[in-house]
């Protein structure tokens, strides 16, 4: 419906309106220059667990905003409705995925506290400007995401492994990609690993746990960043009674310029 | 007892042993190369309020670690005891300061959750290396701290104004000081204000609300950084029933190299 150029030029409010109206697509490449966010909503009695888990695992879970209980609004995009403005959601009961709706109006509860967590799509615009190609965007696919063998530091009732996103990067641009992303710690910062997938306990790059397989070019090296899907792995491992999240790669597009999250 | 050179060379564990044995001095300049931290302990039912307040006010309150209830240990310094290893503490009841002991063994409670918050003393070593003079260290004084007219974003039962530390910096080195500190967002990052104290609602630089007055040299400009004493201003404004904090300027010296908190 939109060309990739049109998507990148859409204002965040317009992108959210497109998703609210029912378009379902990964948000990588949408609204160039604006931060995107992962979403997790939990009942209020689990809120301290989630916030503490995020504090203890800052690289996968950099918190950009936390709402009051029942609120569907965020300072990151004052006009937005967190229940409708993402392309796709996931609904969780006792750690099991039970629904993947395009809005969560029917699932909403007045005791839900929502966490918005930084997303690596935010530094993709900076990577592009620095001349780093994005294979998943070129191929019209969602980014590849994997569950690793690195355990997060537990927090009260929450525990689970770190999830990473992977981008194939030309070997001579890995240092550039590292330097550019390192300056944006609130959207996952520098890579956690470069090279062999086995170093993170990943068996087969062709079979991601979330998102799509992405074809590397000759000379590309896999580069792994901590990923905001990590809280979803914690839901699976820790089984809280109820939660809502975004669907991996289907993020909340905020009104915050990405440069806000660049340090120095 | 120690020269300033000896203080700067003390290993963190040795500095903590000195304070545990009863020495009471501001910790600026101690254990060159290691991060220092602000401390606030609150009953567990206030822990989410504090952590949310910190998340919503990251520049004054960057959280480095949170303990489990009753624990006096931290990953920031595995051998340390948070109840004894700071030079001086403050004990608060209903928002009022009721004691300033050199340890809090007699005040400790099993429901206390302790927050360790980044401290600008951590980037002072980097400032010194970059050739920026530190007037309070030269003068053997505690850094000057002031309550500002900027209100923090409230979180549940916690609200209050931002507190800042001030360092007089030669005008031609303000840019250097800004650049060096900006790369360390977990220890308050870039200045929040440069120049006129009135811009932060500060009446008289000679009368700090915490710490000591520091004499500027001719050509120095006052430079203001967000300060980890901000939670103490929130205690005064919000009056939780009980809390323990460090005394301003009398920090917890961690085992974490300061470079750990430098980005990029």
């Amino acid at each position: 419906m939109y060309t990739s150029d049109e998507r990148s030029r859409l204002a965040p409010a317009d992108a959210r309106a497109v998703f609210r109206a029912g378009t379902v697509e990964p948000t990588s490449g949408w609204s160039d220059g604006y931060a995107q966010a992962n979403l997790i909503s939990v009942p209020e009695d689990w809120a301290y667990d989630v916030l503490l888990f995020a504090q203890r695992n800052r690289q996968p879970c950099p918190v950009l905003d936390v709402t009051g209980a029942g609120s569907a609004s965020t300072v990151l995009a004052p006009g937005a409705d967190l229940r409708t403005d993402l392309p796709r959601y996931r609904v969780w009961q006792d750690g099991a995925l039970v629904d993947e709706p395009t809005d969560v109006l029917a699932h909403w509860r007045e005791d839900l506290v929502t966490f918005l967590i930084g997303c690596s799509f935010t530094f993709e615009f900076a990577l592009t400007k620095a001349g780093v190609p994005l294979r998943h965007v070129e191929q019209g696919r969602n980014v590849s995401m994997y569950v690793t063998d690195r355990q997060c530091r537990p927090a009260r009732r929450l525990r689970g492994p770190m999830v990473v996103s992977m981008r194939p990067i030309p070997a001579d641009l890995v240092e550039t990609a590292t330097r550019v992303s390192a300056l944006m710690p609130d959207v996952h910062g520098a890579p956690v690993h470069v090279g062999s997938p086995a170093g993170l306990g990943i068996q087969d790059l062709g079979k991601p746990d979330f998102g799509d397989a992405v074809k590397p070019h000759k000379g590309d090296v896999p580069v792994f960043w901590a990923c905001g899907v990590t809280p979803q792995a914690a839901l699976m491992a820790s089984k809280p009674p109820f939660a809502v999240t975004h669907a991996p790669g289907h993020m909340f597009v905020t009104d915050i310029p990405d440069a806000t999250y660049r340090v120095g």
Side-chain angles (χ1 to χ4, degrees), chain A:
Chain A
M1 181 160 110
Y2 289 96
T3 66
S4 68
D5 189 55
E6 287 166 341
R7 286 170 187 177
S8 76
R9 291 166 188 273
L10 272 183
D14 294 332
R16 293 192 300 265
V18 168
F19 301 134
R20 188 162 58 241
T23 293
V24 177
E25 287 191 30
T27 51
S28 179
W30 290 67
S31 298
D32 189 348
Y34 291 92
Q36 300 195 13
N38 302 271
L39 178 146
I40 175 170
S41 305
V42 293
E44 193 171 17
D45 78 306
W46 281 76
Y48 183 56
D49 300 59
V50 172
L51 191 53
L52 190 62
F53 185 83
Q55 191 282 322
R56 289 183 174 168
N57 300 282
R58 272 273 300 284
Q59 202 159 6
C61 307
V63 179
L64 306 185
D65 191 33
V66 184
T67 70
S71 170
S73 298
T74 170
V75 294
L76 303 178
D81 188 324
L82 295 170
R83 303 167 301 180
T84 58
D85 288 5
L86 284 70
R88 191 179 285 288
Y89 297 80
R90 291 183 149 189
V91 180
W92 303 81
Q93 281 175 3
D94 301 317
L97 178 62
V98 296
D99 198 5
E100 288 199 280
T102 60
D103 71 66
V104 286
L105 292 170
H107 295 281
W108 198 249
R109 295 164 35 157
E110 285 309 306
D111 66 344
L112 289 181
V113 174
T114 299
F115 297 79
L116 295 159
I117 291 174
C119 171
S120 58
F121 290 173
T122 308
F123 62 61
E124 288 186 341
F125 304 116
L127 291 180
T128 301
K129 264 183 218 157
V132 177
L134 298 171
R135 305 302 183 205
H136 62 292
V137 176
E138 290 169 5
Q139 295 166 30
R141 296 184 191 166
N142 197 351
V143 75
S144 308
M145 292 164 270
Y146 307 86
V147 176
T148 71
D149 62 3
R150 290 199 195 172
Q151 291 300 308
C152 290
R153 184 175 165 202
R156 289 160 56 111
R157 293 167 289 183
L158 281 179
R159 62 189 168 79
M162 184 170 65
V163 175
V164 292
S165 64
M166 186 282 292
R167 291 164 184 80
I169 308 256
D172 62 349
L173 288 171
V174 169
E175 193 193 334
T176 300
T178 300
R179 182 171 38 78
V180 168
S181 58
L183 290 178
M184 302 184 75
D186 277 336
V187 293
H188 303 302
V192 292
H193 183 69
V194 174
S196 166
L200 293 171
I202 298 168
Q203 304 287 326
D204 183 352
L205 284 185
K207 294 180 181 163
D209 297 296
F210 310 97
D212 300 326
V214 172
K215 204 172 148 49
H217 291 210
K218 200 182 162 189
D220 283 355
V221 174
V223 180
F224 300 89
W225 279 270
C227 178
V229 173
T230 298
Q232 298 188 33
L235 293 179
M236 290 183 233
S238 316
K239 307 187 195 315
F242 184 76
V244 168
T245 68
H246 71 291
H250 298 68
M251 318 308 293
F252 179 63
V253 179
T254 78
D255 289 347
I256 309 292
D258 52 9
T260 306
Y261 296 115
R262 192 176 59 228
V263 159

